[in-house]
Amino acid sequence: MKINELYQQISLLLQKSFIDNPKNEAAILICFVLNIEKKDFILLQNERQLTNKQIKQVTKLAKERLKGRSIAELINKKDFYDLEFFVTKDVLIPRPETELLIELTLPLFKKDQEIDILEIGVGSGAISLVLATKFINAKIDAIDISKKALSITKINIIKNNIQIDKINLIKSDFFKFSPKKQYDLIISNPPYIPQKEVENLIKNKIVSDPKIALAGGKDGLVFYKKLKEFGLKFLKSSGFIVFEHGIGQREDIKNIFGNDFKIECFDDLAGIDRAFVIQK
């Protein structure tokens, strides 16, 4: 079987299961197994003969995709902003909409300014690593309750040639975290989906991310209530908190932070309410 024949077969398989952009995903899986670039896929698709082992590998990955696992998880790779990250089932896969947090943060400080940053729930390290490349004199503390997530972040620090002592990785439950300093910036893409909704998403194979990275308590707001309390104590005067939130949570979050902070709300490129920038 040639590449193009398998490509058509896998595309049809994914299409029947209502996968978005099945042809692109089929090409990604084939390129991953063959260890070739997309441009080589186009050049070789009508020429290169595949081995039975390669056909089985691609087919197996496609079937895993149908079980709800993301493409990024299957190929252990995801681009975020201008960096590439190693990812697994143990971390939240970085989403394009989360890049808005980077865009909102960049104008807040000068590139060479000495600032202290805290990321809550570092996951794969996507946000912290990008900020480390943008703010050259920043000192970053990155916490996560998951030891596996911190290990993956460390892999990505090395993978992206980030100075190893620029990001301080801390294993901690945010609800028990009590640092010995204050921060100029606190940033997070927290768990904000209500518990029951997360259970349905996982049950229906809509998401395959770790439950702990998604579930924000009964109403999805438990993190924000703690974040306000934390910010009052550990955010420097005139410092910023930048974070993502879910659809329909904007007014509730405004009420949580009340009159203690200056509040700005932002939509993503799709026009969906997505993020806050809050200043002390």
Side-chain angles (χ1 to χ4, degrees), residues 68-101:
R69 296 179 66 187
S70 69
I71 280 287
E73 182 188 334
L74 292 173
I75 67 172
N76 300 123
K77 184 170 66 174
K78 180 67 176 178
D79 291 336
F80 181 81
Y81 214 75
D82 48 8
L83 299 178
E84 182 182 280
F85 292 85
F86 170 74
V87 293
T88 73
K89 62 181 178 61
D90 298 309
V91 294
L92 181 75
I93 303 299
R95 268 65 165 179
E97 54 267 27
T98 303
E99 293 184 358
L100 176 61
L101 299 187

Side-chain angles (χ1 to χ4, degrees), residues 41-259:
F41 169 82
I42 295 169
L43 291 172
L44 298 171
Q45 61 179 321
N46 292 315
E47 298 178 9
R48 184 162 170 178
Q49 200 76 23
L50 300 173
T51 66
N52 287 334
K53 182 179 179 181
Q54 290 169 336
I55 294 169
K56 287 179 180 178
Q57 286 177 317
V58 174
T59 304
K60 182 180 179 181
L61 288 172
K63 288 179 178 178
E64 287 297 311
R65 179 70 180 102
L66 299 183
K67 293 178 182 178
R69 296 179 66 187
S70 69
I71 280 287
E73 182 188 334
L74 292 173
I75 67 172
N76 300 123
K77 184 170 66 174
K78 180 67 176 178
D79 291 336
F80 181 81
Y81 214 75
D82 48 8
L83 299 178
E84 182 182 280
F85 292 85
F86 170 74
V87 293
T88 73
K89 62 181 178 61
D90 298 309
V91 294
L92 181 75
I93 303 299
R95 268 65 165 179
E97 54 267 27
T98 303
E99 293 184 358
L100 176 61
L101 299 187
I102 304 295
E103 295 292 343
L104 293 174
T105 300
L106 293 181
L108 301 180
F109 306 98
K110 295 178 182 178
K111 183 177 181 180
D112 59 352
Q113 191 172 341
E114 293 185 0
I115 53 175
D116 290 303
I117 298 174
L118 171 68
E119 183 184 3
I120 302 166
V122 67
S124 65
I127 293 173
S128 283
L129 268 67
V130 172
L131 292 181
T133 66
K134 303 302 180 185
F135 299 114
I136 57 176
N137 291 320
K139 295 179 181 178
I140 302 173
D141 286 343
I143 72 169
D144 205 293
I145 197 170
S146 167
K147 185 177 180 180
K148 289 181 179 178
L150 293 172
S151 296
I152 290 169
T153 296
K154 190 171 183 179
I155 290 170
N156 283 318
I157 289 172
I158 296 168
K159 175 183 174 69
N160 285 285
N161 298 312
I162 306 295
Q163 190 175 329
I164 197 72
D165 60 355
K166 195 171 178 66
I167 301 176
N168 178 33
L169 300 178
I170 303 168
K171 185 181 183 302
S172 178
D173 180 345
F174 171 55
F175 289 84
K176 299 177 182 178
F177 183 56
S178 183
K180 295 180 180 180
K181 64 178 180 181
Q182 291 185 311
Y183 297 94
D184 299 284
L185 171 69
I186 298 170
I187 190 166
S188 184
N189 176 19
Y192 54 70
I193 305 175
Q195 185 75 27
K196 284 189 176 180
E197 189 176 333
V198 171
E199 290 170 2
N200 288 332
L201 289 171
I202 293 173
K203 181 181 178 181
N204 294 319
K205 300 177 182 178
I206 297 172
V207 298
S208 58
D209 302 280
K211 186 176 179 180
I212 196 171
L214 301 172
K218 186 177 180 180
D219 59 2
L221 299 170
V222 64
F223 174 87
Y224 304 111
K225 295 170 185 175
K226 175 62 179 177
L227 184 58
K228 177 195 174 177
E229 175 190 325
F230 185 89
L232 287 171
K233 188 173 182 181
F234 296 109
L235 186 67
K236 292 180 184 179
S237 178
S238 299
F240 296 92
I241 307 175
V242 180
F243 59 84
E244 190 172 322
H245 66 90
I247 297 172
Q249 294 180 328
R250 180 168 286 177
E251 292 306 315
D252 287 327
I253 293 172
K254 282 183 180 179
N255 291 333
I256 288 169
F257 283 88
N259 298 319

